[in-house]
Amino acid sequence: MELLEDKMRVWLESAKFVKAMPGVYVLYNRNKDVIYIGESSNLEETFTKYVETEFEGNECKQKTQSYQREFTNNPKERQIQLIEEFKKQSGKVPSCNTEIALETH
C-alpha cells in the first residue's frame, strides 16, 4: 500500500540524494509493507544519519528496502495525518511507529 504520490525509491541508492528540506517519509520493507512513517525538518540530514548509522541500530527500521518522501512545511502535522490514514486502512500503526502512535492519542 503506497501512502504518498511520490514514486517508490530503493533505499540506499537514492537516500543520499534527498534535498535538505522539511518533509515526511514512508519506509517500506521488502514486501512493500509500510513499516515507518517519519517526519523531519531536514530530510537530507535525517537520511544521511540513517545511512551512516544503519538507522541508529534500530532493528525495525533496518528492514527498510524502499521509501517514499514528500516535502512539506508542516512535517509533524502531515506525519500524524498519514499515520491516521494508515490506521484507517489497516487497523494498526506501522510496526516501527509504535512510540509515535502513542503521542498522537
Side-chain angles (χ1 to χ4, degrees):
M1 160 176 47
E2 293 185 27
L3 286 179
L4 301 174
E5 298 292 313
D6 184 45
K7 69 178 185 182
M8 188 81 75
R9 299 160 197 271
V10 176
W11 172 247
L12 269 175
E13 287 175 21
S14 60
K16 297 171 186 149
F17 305 106
V18 175
K19 293 184 181 123
M21 293 171 66
V24 292
Y25 56 97
V26 181
L27 303 179
Y28 297 87
N29 65 14
R30 107 167 28 104
N31 299 328
K32 306 246 183 308
D33 296 324
V34 173
I35 59 170
Y36 185 73
I37 299 169
E39 55 86 24
S40 173
S41 56
N42 182 330
L43 284 174
E44 180 187 46
E45 215 171 74
T46 299
F47 280 21
T48 299
K49 189 168 77 180
Y50 280 168
V51 169
E52 289 172 357
T53 65
E54 291 188 24
F55 293 100
E56 302 172 282
N58 182 318
E59 282 182 35
C60 191
K61 290 182 195 167
Q62 285 172 354
K63 296 177 181 142
T64 299
Q65 296 288 318
S66 53
Y67 73 96
Q68 290 178 295
R69 50 110 178 106
E70 174 183 289
F71 299 116
T72 175
N73 291 327
N74 302 312
K76 189 72 185 160
E77 220 170 272
R78 182 73 174 124
Q79 176 196 31
I80 291 167
Q81 187 184 6
L82 288 169
I83 290 173
E84 290 304 317
E85 273 176 43
F86 181 82
K87 258 193 340 205
K88 264 188 215 141
Q89 290 177 11
S90 68
K92 59 187 195 296
V93 295
S95 53
C96 303
N97 271 103
T98 47
E99 299 128 46
I100 290 176
L102 298 174
E103 290 171 25
T104 63
H105 294 289

